[in-house]
Amino acid sequence: MSGLVKAKKYDWKDSNLALFGTPLEREIKKAAAETEKAWTVVNAKDEPGLFIWQIVKFVPTPWPEEDRGKFYSGDSYIILNKYKNPGEDDWEYDVHFWIGKHSSQDEYGTAAYKTVELDTYLDDKAIQRREVQGHESELFKSYFKTLEIMEGGADSGFRHVTPEQYKPRLLHIFGQKKNVEVREATFTRKSLNSVDCFVVDFGKKLYQFNGKDCNKDERRKAMEYVQKLRNDHNGAELSVIDEGSSSAREIDEFKNLLPDEAIDDDEDETDGVEKIKVLYRLSDSLSDSSGKLDFKKIAEGNVNKSMLCNKDVFFLDTGDELYVWVGRQASTNEIRNGMAYGHNYLTKTKNPLRPITRVIDGREGKAFHRSLM
């Protein structure tokens, strides 16, 4: 943690990505990447794996194995998935930088820059992806059995329970099948509903609340989660309240554990957003005398691969996600600025928190090709 004051909301979306897309020559970037000790673990073993680093004072720091799937809203992280496609010998890489809701500009800017550096270390073989808290891609969520988002920063800690110091938490458990998530909610009874499950964590005392209309997947995940918390808290006492079968008195007593105060949530910026595919081109060959890159809309609605030119960088906005497509003959200047232009473009849309995926001409992956259909 950098110790800087965290933004109250997604203030970062109105800013340029710090450090990202700066004019570094490839040789310098490669040398810097090779001196970053954090990356050496990726090729230390010839086997697949998931690697996670938290950004701590501009340095990618390994995230503990036991905390995989847990992320703090006040931090930024880099996540790398190393794998092989069936029947192929070459390693494939997906590298994500995840931006916490209250991450500082220095932290998310470093995460973005270091993601480029990691890709350089991997000889530009990785597909780069930007993830924002609460708007994660399905691919990102598939890496974890449970995606748990905690308030604060990692330096606050949550494994060591001291009753006099422990800050109570309300955990919201929702979803279905393999996509059940655990996210910390505002500690108030107004956060409760009847369609999901919740856990109130007082450290030495735990409460599991099953809404009367929750599904079996949420109920099962809540049970698994509280059992893990009990182990973490050295056998914390557990009470289970089932809205469909517990007495009215038991339900009221549970709700009275939480204060009755207003929820200060961020406005949902995705409501009412029309999803129309739009294609843009970024080109320096078409730039004006100022040297500024030319960013221009090419098509809207009907978009296909024939519209792409391997001499430039293109942006495909599907409404759910933004793809940054890098042509094989794109200039160094275009390549350097692709993700930064993508980020800045989204800040001006009604849904700026969507994932951004950077793909290379000829190595786009199935998801990109499906988006052009």
Side-chain angles (χ1 to χ4, degrees):
M1 293 281 292
S2 67
L4 298 178
V5 176
K6 302 296 183 180
K8 183 178 179 182
K9 295 186 178 181
Y10 284 101
D11 296 336
W12 59 264
K13 71 176 182 289
D14 297 320
S15 306
N16 292 329
L17 274 176
L19 304 177
F20 199 75
T22 54
L24 299 174
E25 294 295 333
R26 174 168 175 77
E27 291 78 8
I28 298 175
K29 289 202 304 177
K30 183 69 172 178
E34 290 175 344
T35 60
E36 177 55 74
K37 294 181 180 179
W39 310 146
T40 59
V41 66
V42 177
N43 294 325
K45 295 182 180 179
D46 190 33
E47 57 186 40
L50 187 70
F51 306 88
I52 304 176
W53 299 270
Q54 176 206 12
I55 300 302
V56 182
K57 296 179 180 178
F58 303 100
V59 177
T61 304
W63 192 237
E65 182 85 18
E66 64 269 22
D67 289 340
R68 287 190 174 185
K70 294 180 180 179
F71 297 95
Y72 281 98
S73 64
D75 294 330
S76 291
Y77 300 78
I78 296 174
I79 299 89
L80 173 72
N81 184 34
K82 176 183 178 182
Y83 63 97
K84 287 183 179 179
N85 288 318
E88 297 184 4
D89 296 327
D90 293 336
W91 288 113
E92 301 288 340
Y93 307 94
D94 285 297
V95 58
H96 310 247
F97 63 97
W98 183 90
I99 303 172
K101 190 179 206 176
H102 303 300
S103 179
S104 73
Q105 187 179 63
D106 284 345
E107 289 165 346
Y108 69 70
T110 301
Y113 178 78
K114 285 291 186 178
T115 295
V116 176
E117 185 182 271
L118 176 56
D119 185 23
T120 301
Y121 177 79
L122 299 171
D123 297 320
D124 301 317
K125 294 180 179 178
I127 293 178
Q128 298 177 28
R129 305 176 188 272
R130 185 199 76 167
E131 308 281 352
V132 175
Q133 178 186 335
H135 301 263
E136 295 87 352
S137 66
E138 292 303 316
L139 176 64
F140 181 86
K141 291 188 286 189
S142 72
Y143 299 147
F144 311 106
K145 186 176 181 181
T146 300
L147 182 61
E148 182 178 346
I149 309 300
M150 313 302 298
E151 292 298 317
D155 59 354
S156 64
F158 58 86
R159 285 195 291 274
H160 303 292
V161 181
T162 304
E164 295 79 9
Q165 301 175 355
Y166 197 80
K167 181 180 178 181
R169 303 179 299 154
L170 175 65
L171 292 310
H172 182 195
I173 301 170
F174 60 98
Q176 58 184 355
K177 297 182 179 179
K178 294 182 179 181
N179 293 320
V180 179
E181 300 181 28
V182 180
R183 294 184 182 269
E184 188 167 352
T186 304
F187 197 78
T188 167
R189 72 188 66 160
K190 288 186 172 66
S191 293
L192 301 175
N193 62 55
S194 296
V195 298
D196 300 322
C197 291
F198 295 83
V199 172
V200 177
D201 177 8
F202 284 108
K204 291 298 184 182
K205 177 70 176 179
L206 303 171
Y207 295 85
Q208 176 184 335
F209 175 79
N210 301 323
K212 63 181 179 181
D213 296 320
C214 70
N215 62 50
K216 66 181 188 305
D217 301 311
E218 292 163 340
R219 188 183 294 261
R220 181 177 63 252
K221 178 61 69 176
M223 292 174 60
E224 293 175 354
Y225 186 74
V226 295
Q227 289 305 318
K228 186 178 185 309
L229 280 181
R230 293 187 75 188
N231 293 334
D232 290 344
H233 298 345
N234 299 317
E237 183 183 349
L238 171 65
S239 295
V240 179
I241 299 89
D242 194 299
E243 192 178 25
S245 59
S246 295
S247 67
R249 178 180 177 180
E250 290 173 319
I251 295 173
D252 287 341
E253 287 178 347
F254 166 74
K255 291 184 177 180
N256 286 333
L257 295 171
L258 301 167
D260 184 13
E261 58 187 35
I263 303 174
D264 184 20
D265 282 343
D266 292 335
E267 181 182 354
D268 187 352
E269 300 176 75
T270 64
D271 291 346
V273 176
E274 191 175 4
K275 297 176 181 178
I276 301 175
K277 292 180 183 178
V278 186
L279 184 68
Y280 297 84
R281 179 178 59 197
L282 181 69
S283 175
D284 59 5
S285 63
L286 299 175
S287 61
D288 56 29
S289 57
S290 68
K292 183 179 179 180
L293 292 168
D294 180 72
F295 184 75
K296 183 178 180 181
K297 181 189 291 188
I298 301 300
E300 182 174 324
N302 184 20
V303 177
N304 59 72
K305 193 172 183 180
S306 66
M307 298 175 180
L308 304 178
C309 170
N310 62 15
K311 293 183 179 181
D312 294 318
V313 170
F314 287 79
F315 300 82
L316 174 61
D317 185 350
T318 68
D320 293 314
E321 186 170 359
L322 180 69
Y323 286 95
V324 180
W325 183 88
V326 180
R328 282 172 290 179
Q329 298 180 36
S331 71
T332 303
N333 196 28
E334 293 165 352
I335 296 172
R336 285 174 183 155
N337 287 281
M339 285 289 277
Y341 264 77
H343 170 87
N344 294 333
Y345 160 75
L346 283 186
T347 64
K348 299 176 178 64
T349 69
K350 294 181 179 179
N351 185 8
L353 308 180
R354 289 169 284 159
I356 302 177
T357 300
R358 178 180 179 268
V359 297
I360 306 300
D361 182 8
R363 303 183 68 253
E364 298 92 344
K366 295 179 180 179
F368 177 78
H369 289 294
R370 284 197 297 268
S371 68
L372 289 171
M373 294 179 180

